[in-house]
Amino acid sequence: MAELVAVIASTHHPFYYRASTATGEDRPPFADEWVAKVERFRETLTRARPDVLLMVGSDHFHQLWLDNMPQFLVGHAEQYDANWYNEEREFGLPRMRMTGDRDLSGHLLRGGLDLGFDLAFSNELRLDHSVTCPIITLRPENDLPIVPVYTNIFAPPLPQPKRFVQLGQAIRELVESWPSDKRVAVIGTGHLSLELGGPRQFGPTGPDPEFDRKAVGWIASGDIEKTLAEVTLESLHAPGNATHGFMDFMLMMGVAGEGQVAAHADSLDLFHTMEAYFTWYPQGTPDGGPA
């Protein structure tokens, strides 16, 4: 059976690529610290030596719209084109192409149905920065096959937070039951407190630093029970109008498991949001060394 070698959760700030590659007067003052944190984070994936990446993210109304909005969708293609014109224009993101793993995506679709998840699928999915940003930060070589899983965090009615946790638990079960000798890393990206287009969009931190502090603690300690006790669809409106992306972090906590403490946890206050990075090793630290 396949081996789940790493569970990784992070934010997906689309400005990282431009900030990290800028030089001279164009380089932001926070770029060096940001790059150093990302490079340490990247090493946590490199140590796991994955063969395939299962990528959890959310389409930002690029391909999925109100005429057809699945709650949970699995990409089932051999190749994926990635990034959209507005992402190139606003953030300088490059056009990308990624290879899919249809054996794993097919296993997720069949097994997900059998576990009670009516997963949508697409053989023609084009990806956006919720998937390409973690590739840029964690695997810039873009040399591994992927399976994208998209969740609906933007267009009500949304699934309940507990459903995200349950899907994470199902993803782990399905990865570990996949009849393959491949090493799988599950990577998911979401948001902490975040405001888009509202009065709290641009500040020195995220719009709700207290929520961010609690959320980082919940994730790092794997406290699913506490998170579910405090987080509801209604409560997520208060920290910022786009904070429902935190449910993708909850999905990743489901993959990692209740009470599982992250081997790597880091964060960075970055003008209008907090960046955060977490890694769990379900089989223990890959090289037997310290986390």
Side-chain angles (χ1 to χ4, degrees):
M1 295 299 174
E3 185 177 1
L4 179 61
V5 294
V7 179
I8 294 180
S10 76
T11 45
H12 56 250
H13 203 307
F15 188 57
Y16 175 78
Y17 180 79
R18 175 171 284 172
S20 64
T21 57
T23 59
E25 293 183 356
D26 292 331
R27 190 170 179 83
F30 50 78
D32 290 346
E33 180 183 10
W34 198 3
V35 168
K37 284 179 176 286
V38 164
E39 288 181 347
R40 288 193 295 271
F41 183 47
R42 181 182 304 158
E43 180 58 24
T44 69
L45 177 64
T46 303
R47 292 173 73 183
R49 296 180 291 107
D51 300 311
V52 59
L53 307 177
L54 194 160
M55 310 288 297
V56 176
S58 301
D59 179 71
H60 294 72
F61 293 117
H62 284 116
Q63 182 157 347
L64 305 177
W65 187 240
L66 303 182
D67 58 348
N68 188 3
M69 180 59 67
Q71 301 293 356
F72 301 115
L73 179 146
V74 176
H76 191 41
E78 294 181 355
Q79 297 285 333
Y80 299 94
D81 289 324
N83 290 327
W84 296 73
Y85 170 70
N86 69 308
E87 297 172 307
E88 297 178 72
R89 181 192 66 217
E90 298 297 326
F91 309 115
L93 293 179
R95 290 286 180 97
M96 300 173 69
R97 172 163 281 200
M98 303 179 198
T99 301
D101 190 316
R102 279 178 53 88
D103 187 49
L104 177 54
S105 58
H107 176 72
L108 287 177
L109 288 165
R110 178 67 265 167
L113 287 167
D114 294 342
L115 289 175
F117 285 89
D118 297 328
L119 300 171
F121 70 90
S122 172
N123 289 9
E124 299 182 359
L125 187 65
R126 184 172 171 183
L127 305 173
D128 74 2
H129 68 271
S130 70
V131 170
T132 60
C133 283
I135 291 293
I136 288 168
T137 56
L138 286 163
R139 195 74 179 195
E141 304 92 335
N142 189 23
D143 60 346
L144 296 176
I146 71 164
V147 171
V149 176
Y150 266 170
T151 69
N152 175 22
I153 59 169
F154 290 118
L158 306 179
Q160 294 288 345
K162 67 180 179 181
R163 194 61 170 162
F164 283 77
V165 174
Q166 291 165 349
L167 180 57
Q169 294 165 338
I171 285 173
R172 177 163 184 166
E173 180 178 340
L174 292 168
V175 167
E176 293 180 334
S177 68
W178 182 32
S180 170
D181 60 359
K182 291 183 179 179
R183 299 167 61 85
V184 181
V186 180
I187 300 171
T189 63
H191 309 138
L192 298 177
S193 70
L194 185 64
E195 183 102 348
L196 296 178
R200 295 182 292 169
Q201 178 168 356
F202 294 112
T205 65
D208 192 335
E210 177 59 19
F211 175 84
D212 292 341
R213 182 192 64 78
K214 291 194 298 183
V216 166
W218 295 331
I219 300 166
S221 63
D223 196 341
I224 296 173
E225 183 177 357
K226 179 71 169 177
T227 309
L228 285 173
E230 295 205 23
V231 172
T232 67
L233 290 176
E234 293 71 27
S235 73
L236 287 172
H237 287 289
N241 62 17
T243 308
H244 287 84
F246 178 68
M247 293 191 294
D248 278 343
F249 272 118
M250 296 178 69
L251 188 156
M252 298 308 298
M253 294 169 71
V255 180
E258 172 67 52
Q260 296 302 306
V261 177
H264 176 89
D266 199 5
S267 61
L268 175 66
D269 273 323
L270 193 66
F271 53 99
H272 73 293
T273 187
M274 175 182 276
E275 296 297 283
Y277 312 100
F278 306 91
T279 300
W280 296 263
Y281 296 119
Q283 311 303 324
T285 308
D287 52 13

PDB file of all heavy atoms in Angstrom, residues 31-43:
ATOM      1  N   ALA A  31      11.126  40.661   2.295  1.00  0.00           N
ATOM      2  CA  ALA A  31      11.322  39.522   1.400  1.00  0.00           C
ATOM      3  C   ALA A  31      12.327  38.519   1.949  1.00  0.00           C
ATOM      4  O   ALA A  31      12.109  37.304   1.889  1.00  0.00           O
ATOM      5  CB  ALA A  31      11.756  40.003   0.021  1.00  0.00           C
ATOM      6  N   ASP A  32      13.442  38.989   2.493  1.00  0.00           N
ATOM      7  CA  ASP A  32      14.479  38.059   2.940  1.00  0.00           C
ATOM      8  C   ASP A  32      13.984  37.168   4.071  1.00  0.00           C
ATOM      9  O   ASP A  32      14.252  35.955   4.085  1.00  0.00           O
ATOM     10  CB  ASP A  32      15.725  38.835   3.377  1.00  0.00           C
ATOM     11  CG  ASP A  32      16.460  39.485   2.213  1.00  0.00           C
ATOM     12  OD1 ASP A  32      16.173  39.122   1.055  1.00  0.00           O
ATOM     13  OD2 ASP A  32      17.314  40.358   2.461  1.00  0.00           O
ATOM     14  N   GLU A  33      13.270  37.748   5.034  1.00  0.00           N
ATOM     15  CA  GLU A  33      12.740  36.941   6.132  1.00  0.00           C
ATOM     16  C   GLU A  33      11.715  35.935   5.607  1.00  0.00           C
ATOM     17  O   GLU A  33      11.693  34.771   6.032  1.00  0.00           O
ATOM     18  CB  GLU A  33      12.104  37.832   7.195  1.00  0.00           C
ATOM     19  CG  GLU A  33      11.537  37.060   8.371  1.00  0.00           C
ATOM     20  CD  GLU A  33      10.845  37.935   9.394  1.00  0.00           C
ATOM     21  OE1 GLU A  33      10.634  39.141   9.118  1.00  0.00           O
ATOM     22  OE2 GLU A  33      10.498  37.417  10.479  1.00  0.00           O
ATOM     23  N   TRP A  34      10.881  36.390   4.693  1.00  0.00           N
ATOM     24  CA  TRP A  34       9.860  35.516   4.118  1.00  0.00           C
ATOM     25  C   TRP A  34      10.523  34.354   3.373  1.00  0.00           C
ATOM     26  O   TRP A  34      10.146  33.188   3.555  1.00  0.00           O
ATOM     27  CB  TRP A  34       8.980  36.327   3.184  1.00  0.00           C
ATOM     28  CG  TRP A  34       7.662  35.713   2.844  1.00  0.00           C
ATOM     29  CD1 TRP A  34       7.129  34.537   3.307  1.00  0.00           C
ATOM     30  CD2 TRP A  34       6.677  36.264   1.960  1.00  0.00           C
ATOM     31  NE1 TRP A  34       5.884  34.326   2.765  1.00  0.00           N
ATOM     32  CE2 TRP A  34       5.581  35.364   1.947  1.00  0.00           C
ATOM     33  CE3 TRP A  34       6.617  37.434   1.196  1.00  0.00           C
ATOM     34  CZ2 TRP A  34       4.441  35.602   1.168  1.00  0.00           C
ATOM     35  CZ3 TRP A  34       5.474  37.668   0.439  1.00  0.00           C
ATOM     36  CH2 TRP A  34       4.409  36.759   0.423  1.00  0.00           C
ATOM     37  N   VAL A  35      11.522  34.629   2.564  1.00  0.00           N
ATOM     38  CA  VAL A  35      12.215  33.589   1.811  1.00  0.00           C
ATOM     39  C   VAL A  35      12.874  32.595   2.752  1.00  0.00           C
ATOM     40  O   VAL A  35      12.816  31.371   2.547  1.00  0.00           O
ATOM     41  CB  VAL A  35      13.246  34.212   0.854  1.00  0.00           C
ATOM     42  CG1 VAL A  35      14.177  33.140   0.286  1.00  0.00           C
ATOM     43  CG2 VAL A  35      12.543  34.958  -0.282  1.00  0.00           C
ATOM     44  N   ALA A  36      13.501  33.086   3.817  1.00  0.00           N
ATOM     45  CA  ALA A  36      14.164  32.188   4.766  1.00  0.00           C
ATOM     46  C   ALA A  36      13.171  31.233   5.415  1.00  0.00           C
ATOM     47  O   ALA A  36      13.444  30.038   5.580  1.00  0.00           O
ATOM     48  CB  ALA A  36      14.893  33.001   5.829  1.00  0.00           C
ATOM     49  N   LYS A  37      11.995  31.751   5.775  1.00  0.00           N
ATOM     50  CA  LYS A  37      10.977  30.891   6.379  1.00  0.00           C
ATOM     51  C   LYS A  37      10.475  29.866   5.376  1.00  0.00           C
ATOM     52  O   LYS A  37      10.288  28.682   5.717  1.00  0.00           O
ATOM     53  CB  LYS A  37       9.819  31.748   6.904  1.00  0.00           C
ATOM     54  CG  LYS A  37      10.135  32.481   8.204  1.00  0.00           C
ATOM     55  CD  LYS A  37       8.966  33.337   8.661  1.00  0.00           C
ATOM     56  CE  LYS A  37       9.253  33.997  10.002  1.00  0.00           C
ATOM     57  NZ  LYS A  37       9.177  33.035  11.130  1.00  0.00           N
ATOM     58  N   VAL A  38      10.259  30.272   4.145  1.00  0.00           N
ATOM     59  CA  VAL A  38       9.769  29.349   3.126  1.00  0.00           C
ATOM     60  C   VAL A  38      10.817  28.282   2.822  1.00  0.00           C
ATOM     61  O   VAL A  38      10.483  27.095   2.635  1.00  0.00           O
ATOM     62  CB  VAL A  38       9.365  30.118   1.856  1.00  0.00           C
ATOM     63  CG1 VAL A  38       9.221  29.178   0.662  1.00  0.00           C
ATOM     64  CG2 VAL A  38       8.055  30.863   2.088  1.00  0.00           C
ATOM     65  N   GLU A  39      12.075  28.645   2.788  1.00  0.00           N
ATOM     66  CA  GLU A  39      13.117  27.653   2.488  1.00  0.00           C
ATOM     67  C   GLU A  39      13.221  26.613   3.602  1.00  0.00           C
ATOM     68  O   GLU A  39      13.442  25.426   3.335  1.00  0.00           O
ATOM     69  CB  GLU A  39      14.453  28.348   2.254  1.00  0.00           C
ATOM     70  CG  GLU A  39      14.479  29.098   0.928  1.00  0.00           C
ATOM     71  CD  GLU A  39      15.804  29.784   0.656  1.00  0.00           C
ATOM     72  OE1 GLU A  39      16.626  29.901   1.598  1.00  0.00           O
ATOM     73  OE2 GLU A  39      16.025  30.205  -0.499  1.00  0.00           O
ATOM     74  N   ARG A  40      13.054  27.020   4.863  1.00  0.00           N
ATOM     75  CA  ARG A  40      13.025  26.043   5.959  1.00  0.00           C
ATOM     76  C   ARG A  40      11.809  25.139   5.825  1.00  0.00           C
ATOM     77  O   ARG A  40      11.876  23.925   6.058  1.00  0.00           O
ATOM     78  CB  ARG A  40      13.022  26.763   7.313  1.00  0.00           C
ATOM     79  CG  ARG A  40      14.353  27.411   7.674  1.00  0.00           C
ATOM     80  CD  ARG A  40      14.398  27.827   9.133  1.00  0.00           C
ATOM     81  NE  ARG A  40      13.434  28.872   9.457  1.00  0.00           N
ATOM     82  CZ  ARG A  40      13.684  30.170   9.366  1.00  0.00           C
ATOM     83  NH1 ARG A  40      14.876  30.595   8.948  1.00  0.00           N
ATOM     84  NH2 ARG A  40      12.765  31.064   9.685  1.00  0.00           N
ATOM     85  N   PHE A  41      10.690  25.733   5.470  1.00  0.00           N
ATOM     86  CA  PHE A  41       9.455  24.977   5.266  1.00  0.00           C
ATOM     87  C   PHE A  41       9.622  23.992   4.115  1.00  0.00           C
ATOM     88  O   PHE A  41       9.198  22.823   4.202  1.00  0.00           O
ATOM     89  CB  PHE A  41       8.334  25.972   4.989  1.00  0.00           C
ATOM     90  CG  PHE A  41       6.971  25.390   4.815  1.00  0.00           C
ATOM     91  CD1 PHE A  41       6.469  24.441   5.703  1.00  0.00           C
ATOM     92  CD2 PHE A  41       6.148  25.827   3.784  1.00  0.00           C
ATOM     93  CE1 PHE A  41       5.183  23.930   5.547  1.00  0.00           C
ATOM     94  CE2 PHE A  41       4.869  25.320   3.629  1.00  0.00           C
ATOM     95  CZ  PHE A  41       4.393  24.371   4.508  1.00  0.00           C
ATOM     96  N   ARG A  42      10.232  24.415   3.036  1.00  0.00           N
ATOM     97  CA  ARG A  42      10.445  23.558   1.865  1.00  0.00           C
ATOM     98  C   ARG A  42      11.229  22.301   2.233  1.00  0.00           C
ATOM     99  O   ARG A  42      10.942  21.206   1.742  1.00  0.00           O
ATOM    100  CB  ARG A  42      11.173  24.328   0.772  1.00  0.00           C
ATOM    101  CG  ARG A  42      11.426  23.545  -0.503  1.00  0.00           C
ATOM    102  CD  ARG A  42      12.192  24.393  -1.494  1.00  0.00           C
ATOM    103  NE  ARG A  42      11.486  25.642  -1.753  1.00  0.00           N
ATOM    104  CZ  ARG A  42      12.069  26.748  -2.232  1.00  0.00           C
ATOM    105  NH1 ARG A  42      13.381  26.744  -2.492  1.00  0.00           N
ATOM    106  NH2 ARG A  42      11.363  27.829  -2.445  1.00  0.00           N
ATOM    107  N   GLU A  43      12.180  22.460   3.105  1.00  0.00           N
ATOM    108  CA  GLU A  43      13.010  21.319   3.488  1.00  0.00           C
ATOM    109  C   GLU A  43      12.189  20.220   4.158  1.00  0.00           C
ATOM    110  O   GLU A  43      12.517  19.038   4.076  1.00  0.00           O
ATOM    111  CB  GLU A  43      14.135  21.786   4.417  1.00  0.00           C
ATOM    112  CG  GLU A  43      15.080  20.695   4.894  1.00  0.00           C
ATOM    113  CD  GLU A  43      15.772  19.939   3.773  1.00  0.00           C
ATOM    114  OE1 GLU A  43      15.913  20.490   2.659  1.00  0.00           O
ATOM    115  OE2 GLU A  43      16.156  18.770   4.004  1.00  0.00           O
TER     116      GLU A  43
END
